[in-house]
Amino acid sequence: MRIAERLEIHHTPKHGSGLNVAEIELSVLSRQCLDRRIETADELRREVTAWGGAAERPGRTRCCWRFTTADARIKLRHLYPTLQ
């Protein structure tokens, strides 16, 4: 019972965590747009707005989550107990 009281369960989307998607988007933004010195806050806003508009166009790269539970059981088998 004490272990159950310490558990904190967070439900995440079926096809990947929203935080993972945000982290990936910020990484792409920093590599494609923020890889140089930007002098003013207004210039930064313009750059990020322009980048965001380009990111919303059709054909943009999407997150494709392919690591399934079955894959996890194979790759992380040392973490899963075996039942006999």
Side-chain angles (χ1 to χ4, degrees):
M1 185 65 177
R2 289 181 294 182
I3 293 175
E5 292 171 358
R6 285 192 259 166
L7 287 178
E8 186 174 332
I9 298 173
H10 297 275
H11 297 282
T12 57
K14 180 178 178 182
H15 297 291
S17 170
L19 290 176
N20 288 345
V21 174
E23 185 177 295
I24 291 167
E25 288 287 327
L26 287 173
S27 174
V28 172
L29 171 67
S30 67
R31 283 184 278 130
Q32 292 180 354
C33 181
L34 306 177
D35 59 347
R36 64 191 183 288
R37 182 172 174 81
I38 298 177
E39 297 293 327
T40 65
D42 288 333
E43 185 180 351
L44 175 64
R45 281 187 203 95
R46 283 193 305 273
E47 291 286 331
V48 171
T49 302
W51 179 86
E56 294 301 321
R57 289 189 196 129
R60 92 176 225 218
T61 304
R62 297 202 189 305
C63 292
C64 183
W65 304 100
R66 296 182 182 200
F67 195 67
T68 64
T69 304
D71 294 334
R73 290 189 192 284
I74 293 167
K75 189 170 184 98
L76 305 172
R77 67 178 161 262
H78 64 281
L79 299 175
Y80 288 90
T82 56
L83 302 174
Q84 299 291 330

